[in-house]
């Protein structure tokens, strides 16, 4: 449960899963392609839903999508698609499932072109996080001109469900931007 002696961002409230995610993952710079792809998948499914909904189903997604193995996901056939559509442990949205396969293929193409997805995506911020200075998490934007640009570029490369708001949430989750409140104990740690 939330320790009152530790100052956190306001959004995790008292939910233990949210607190763990906030304290251990959110905003931590991720340079590993496997983890970047995992967040890309999770953010795709989050569109229109709350992040806590996705966090609660994260392990189900991990099992359903072969531990977020993009090489396997890129090869999914109609049978696997139907299996996923019947899986009650995940979000069974047809377009989001299809986008995950499409995005896996586009992800691999970027790796082939740039050596890694990490090199490609982190180049937008010169390899280091943008550190914002919000006093309250509600001051943070839903998108920025940079997330607009990344979204546009990803769409040109064939990605689906990568609108600017999804891209900005991805940037926050993977530490491309540090949107922890300045008074949060994690602000200077990440």
């Amino acid at each position: 449960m939330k320790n009152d002696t530790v100052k956190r961002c306001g959004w995790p409230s008292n939910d233990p899963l949210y607190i763990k995610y906030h304290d251990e993952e959110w905003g931590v710079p991720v340079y590993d392609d496997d983890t970047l792809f995992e967040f890309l998948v999770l953010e795709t499914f989050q569109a229109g839903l709350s992040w806590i909904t996705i966090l609660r189903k994260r392990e189900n997604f991990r099992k359903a999508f072969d531990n977020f193995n993009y090489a396997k996901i890129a090869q999914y056939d109609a049978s696997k698609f139907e299996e996923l559509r019947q899986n009650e442990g995940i979000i069974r949205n047809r377009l989001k499932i299809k986008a995950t396969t499409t995005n896996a293929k586009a992800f691999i193409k970027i790796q082939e072109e740039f050596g890694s997805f990490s090199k490609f995506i982190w180049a937008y911020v010169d390899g280091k996080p943008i550190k914002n200075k919000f006093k309250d998490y509600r001051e943070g934007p839903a998108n920025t001109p940079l997330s607009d640009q990344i979204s546009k570029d990803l769409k040109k490369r064939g990605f689906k469900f990568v609108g600017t708001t999804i891209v900005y949430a991805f940037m926050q989750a993977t530490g491309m931007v540090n949107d922890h409140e300045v008074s949060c104990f994690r602000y200077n740690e990440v």
Side-chain angles (χ1 to χ4, degrees), residues 91-124:
I91 308 300
R92 298 182 293 170
N93 180 294
R94 177 182 306 277
L95 295 175
K96 292 177 182 181
I97 294 169
K98 180 73 175 137
T100 301
T101 304
T102 300
N103 291 351
K105 292 173 185 171
F107 190 89
I108 292 167
K109 283 183 183 170
I110 285 177
Q111 286 179 317
E112 290 167 354
E113 183 178 345
F114 292 88
S116 72
F117 185 80
S118 181
K119 284 181 189 172
F120 166 80
I121 202 74
W122 278 95
Y124 285 99

Side-chain angles (χ1 to χ4, degrees):
M1 287 305 281
K2 192 171 182 177
N3 181 343
D4 291 332
T5 63
V6 174
K7 175 69 174 122
R8 287 184 180 85
C9 298
W11 57 265
S13 64
N14 288 318
D15 187 299
L17 186 60
Y18 239 180
I19 290 169
K20 181 175 173 39
Y21 173 70
H22 169 275
D23 290 1
E24 298 175 11
E25 289 187 85
W26 193 70
V28 175
V30 174
Y31 297 96
D32 170 70
D33 274 10
D34 294 343
T35 307
L36 288 168
F37 186 74
E38 175 180 349
F39 276 109
L40 188 63
V41 171
L42 296 175
E43 293 294 350
T44 296
F45 280 92
Q46 189 270 328
L49 302 169
S50 69
W51 185 244
I52 193 64
T53 298
I54 301 306
L55 280 181
R56 288 186 179 129
K57 293 179 177 280
R58 189 178 193 176
E59 289 309 311
N60 296 336
F61 278 107
R62 188 179 313 283
K63 288 176 191 156
F65 285 96
D66 292 297
N67 206 33
F68 302 109
N69 181 326
Y70 43 85
K72 282 186 178 180
I73 293 169
Q75 302 299 318
Y76 283 178
D77 59 13
S79 163
K80 179 64 175 182
F81 178 83
E82 282 309 313
E83 175 188 318
L84 291 166
R85 287 275 297 138
Q86 302 305 316
N87 187 332
E88 294 179 5
I90 65 168
I91 308 300
R92 298 182 293 170
N93 180 294
R94 177 182 306 277
L95 295 175
K96 292 177 182 181
I97 294 169
K98 180 73 175 137
T100 301
T101 304
T102 300
N103 291 351
K105 292 173 185 171
F107 190 89
I108 292 167
K109 283 183 183 170
I110 285 177
Q111 286 179 317
E112 290 167 354
E113 183 178 345
F114 292 88
S116 72
F117 185 80
S118 181
K119 284 181 189 172
F120 166 80
I121 202 74
W122 278 95
Y124 285 99
V125 293
D126 295 324
K128 59 185 190 304
I130 296 168
K131 196 162 188 164
N132 290 317
K133 294 183 166 114
F134 301 123
K135 290 181 180 173
D136 185 304
Y137 73 95
R138 291 170 285 215
E139 296 172 20
N143 61 332
T144 63
L146 181 56
S147 68
D148 294 347
Q149 184 61 50
I150 295 171
S151 170
K152 184 178 172 186
D153 292 350
L154 289 173
K155 286 177 183 176
K156 279 185 190 172
R157 291 176 172 277
F159 284 82
K160 305 292 184 199
F161 279 91
V162 289
T164 186
T165 301
I166 290 171
V167 167
Y168 193 74
F170 173 83
M171 292 170 70
Q172 289 174 311
T174 61
M176 291 176 70
V177 293
N178 179 352
D179 278 353
H180 282 282
E181 295 171 4
V182 291
S183 61
C184 176
F185 83 101
R186 291 295 281 158
Y187 182 74
N188 288 316
E189 291 183 359
V190 299

